[in-house]
Amino acid sequence: MRPCLKNERRAGNGMKRNIVLIGMPGCGKSTAGVVLAKALGCHFVDADLLIQAREGRLLCEIIEEEGLEAFNRIEEEVNASIQAENAVIATGGSVVYGARAMEHLREIGDVLYIRLSLESVAERLGDLTERGVSMREGQTLEDLYAERVPLYEKYADITVDAEHRETRDLVREMRLALKEYRS
């Protein structure tokens, strides 16, 4: 496979730089991530699928059976152990709650925040429990959004707006932003 981008930086451990996607559930991390990986000739890693494979359960089942705190611990462990090279890594929306995971992901890649308005997130998500969205009891989507956005902004190296963008347009913007950031 060819490198993700021409001006590839290397992480301290010698691994090629990855692209780590963060953002609210429904913002397009997995969908656009697959397309971005194909366009760049990279591997694609979906952290939510890694969690499900490790646990042998769906995300919503983990949350229902173990509780939110246990799910967040599992998510942090899985994300902190990702050993990818030349990959686009789509994380779960709650990855930013795990400081150890975010530190690791920042070491192995450039973190790209896919920003989407609360209204668009609500429209895209539908049933939050079926989707496996990590929320405390009594917490609203508005509360969750207000809590997470500052964390996404804190960890992001790059921010791309997904509002009113089709996947191909979002991927084009991501590629341009990455090229500019890495040059």
Side-chain angles (χ1 to χ4, degrees):
M1 290 196 147
R2 68 179 175 77
C4 276
L5 294 171
K6 288 181 182 176
N7 295 329
E8 191 102 53
R9 293 192 326 225
R10 291 190 171 269
N13 61 5
M15 288 195 305
K16 288 184 183 175
R17 296 295 288 183
N18 299 295
I19 300 163
V20 178
L21 305 179
I22 63 171
M24 286 295 289
C27 73
K29 297 180 299 287
S30 295
T31 304
V34 168
V35 176
L36 180 62
K38 284 174 74 172
L40 298 175
C42 295
H43 303 284
F44 178 73
V45 176
D46 188 312
D48 283 348
L49 294 180
L50 294 177
I51 294 167
Q52 289 182 168
R54 180 186 123 166
E55 296 297 309
R57 300 176 279 175
L58 299 174
L59 301 179
C60 59
E61 293 171 337
I62 299 168
I63 293 169
E64 186 178 301
E65 295 167 11
E66 304 289 329
L68 191 56
E69 190 175 305
F71 171 79
N72 288 339
R73 188 186 72 254
I74 292 165
E75 181 178 43
E76 181 170 31
E77 289 170 5
V78 170
N79 280 282
S81 68
I82 291 174
Q83 295 300 315
E85 186 173 316
N86 196 32
V88 173
I89 303 166
T91 63
S94 55
V95 69
V96 291
Y97 294 137
R100 186 170 52 101
M102 288 308 303
E103 181 179 313
H104 171 71
L105 293 169
R106 290 182 93 185
E107 285 175 7
I108 67 168
D110 296 319
V111 179
L112 191 153
Y113 165 37
I114 302 174
R115 182 176 48 214
L116 190 63
S117 71
L118 172 61
E119 297 73 27
S120 293
V121 169
E123 187 179 302
R124 290 183 185 190
L125 283 182
D127 185 351
L128 299 179
T129 53
E130 187 176 294
R131 177 98 186 210
V133 175
S134 174
M135 293 175 64
R136 292 184 304 278
E137 191 167 327
Q139 189 175 35
T140 66
L141 183 59
E142 293 82 7
D143 297 336
L144 187 71
Y145 188 87
E147 181 178 278
R148 287 188 184 175
V149 166
L151 294 171
Y152 296 138
E153 291 172 348
K154 170 186 173 182
Y155 289 115
D157 295 311
I158 306 159
T159 300
V160 173
D161 192 1
E163 199 68 28
H164 307 296
R165 287 208 166 106
E166 297 292 326
T167 300
R168 70 178 174 274
D169 298 324
L170 176 58
V171 170
R172 185 179 325 107
E173 287 299 315
M174 291 164 73
R175 289 181 74 178
L176 288 171
L178 283 159
K179 184 176 182 178
E180 183 177 311
Y181 176 75
R182 289 179 167 180
S183 59

